Amino acid sequence: MPVEPEPSPWVFPSRTELAALPVLDDPEEYDDADEGDGTHDGSDLVAVGADLAPGTLLAAYRSGLFPMPEGRAIGWWSPAYRGVLRLDELRVSRSLRRSARDFEVRVDTAFDEVVAACADPRRPHGWIDARIARAYGDLHRLGWAHSVETWRDGRLVGGLYGVAIGGLFAGESMFHHVTDASKVALIGLVEGLRADADGAAGNRLVDVQWATRHLMGLGVREIPRASYLAALEGLLEVPPAPLWDG
């Protein structure tokens, strides 16, 4: 079981307060070479400040927030339209299913390496800095943050990482060095999350933050912020997936 850290001294808006926030409808275009392109609404950023201690991060996710740097400070985001993937809605084409046979999927064997690859400064719109990498490394060593990796011929070629709390997997970033490697990591994640009764019953959800074009092709959909927050309480009560048992 993951280790509960010291509680955060910071207070975040409640889920009720976040659900009541207006949608400003002032989108900012966003492109990412691995994740496609999408739109950020002007009301997605809801707070700035605090720290990245493990207790602060967990409090944020439990409230429906996630961090991304905002200049030298930390911004806390709750998208007006959240990108989510229901486990029974993953779309895998025949060609992708064939491609998946060429990879080995592993869990939590190279977490720091996955974060470092996602943080590669050569990637456009990179946002993972040393503070973020260190914070999620700490969360990983407490048992809350996880990586799903794709390997080929003994070499790490793709993967993703995120935070697992109950039935929620809050995806943070993904990367690939060869075609389909990140998509196969997502397939491995979903198949692992739905392998037991709780997953098969639809009690788990993958949160991808924003529904980019790349991810929508795999079955990701947008739901309003209030709908995401309403579902969050139940998700947090679901037992952790056996996928994370090591």
Side-chain angles (χ1 to χ4, degrees), residues 151-170:
W151 295 74
R152 178 180 287 174
D153 299 325
R155 184 170 68 95
L156 178 67
V157 293
L160 58 85
Y161 78 95
V163 177
I165 308 177
L168 172 70
F169 183 83

Side-chain angles (χ1 to χ4, degrees), residues 20-244:
L21 290 176
V23 176
L24 301 182
D25 198 24
D26 180 19
E28 173 187 348
E29 290 300 320
Y30 171 81
D31 292 302
D32 184 291
D34 195 57
E35 298 178 7
D37 52 30
T39 299
H40 292 185
D41 185 272
S43 57
D44 291 354
L45 176 63
V46 300
V48 176
D51 58 38
L52 291 171
T56 302
L57 286 173
L58 291 178
Y61 283 106
R62 287 165 173 158
S63 296
L65 297 162
F66 59 84
M68 291 178 68
E70 185 69 11
R72 297 181 63 180
I74 300 298
W76 299 94
W77 301 73
S78 179
Y81 298 98
R82 197 80 166 224
V84 300
L85 177 60
R86 305 184 196 281
L87 302 189
D88 59 350
E89 294 183 354
L90 176 68
R91 292 202 295 263
V92 183
S93 66
R94 289 183 180 179
S95 61
L96 179 56
R97 185 66 68 183
R98 287 194 297 270
S99 180
R101 300 170 188 161
D102 297 330
F103 298 94
E104 177 189 359
V105 177
R106 304 180 190 175
V107 175
D108 285 341
T109 70
F111 181 87
D112 292 332
E113 291 87 343
V114 169
V115 174
C118 290
D120 188 336
R122 294 170 295 182
R123 297 180 64 181
H125 302 281
W127 57 272
I128 301 172
D129 59 20
R131 297 171 297 174
I132 294 289
R134 183 168 53 252
Y136 283 86
D138 291 343
L139 210 55
H140 170 65
R141 281 170 269 286
L142 289 173
W144 296 97
H146 301 279
S147 61
V148 180
E149 312 132 16
T150 44
W151 295 74
R152 178 180 287 174
D153 299 325
R155 184 170 68 95
L156 178 67
V157 293
L160 58 85
Y161 78 95
V163 177
I165 308 177
L168 172 70
F169 183 83
E172 282 296 313
S173 190
M174 60 200 310
F175 82 97
H176 72 277
H177 290 325
V178 300
T179 301
D180 290 339
S182 60
K183 295 178 182 178
V184 173
L186 182 62
I187 293 172
L189 170 66
V190 170
E191 291 184 345
L193 290 177
R194 67 186 182 194
D196 67 319
D198 286 305
N203 294 326
R204 297 194 178 110
L205 185 75
V206 177
D207 166 17
V208 301
Q209 301 176 349
W210 286 281
T212 67
R213 187 183 310 163
H214 167 80
L215 293 171
M216 291 177 76
L218 294 167
V220 167
R221 65 163 71 180
E222 285 185 333
I223 61 173
R225 175 163 49 213
S227 298
Y228 174 82
L229 295 167
L232 189 55
E233 182 174 2
L235 288 169
L236 297 178
E237 297 300 320
V238 177
L243 177 67
W244 312 126

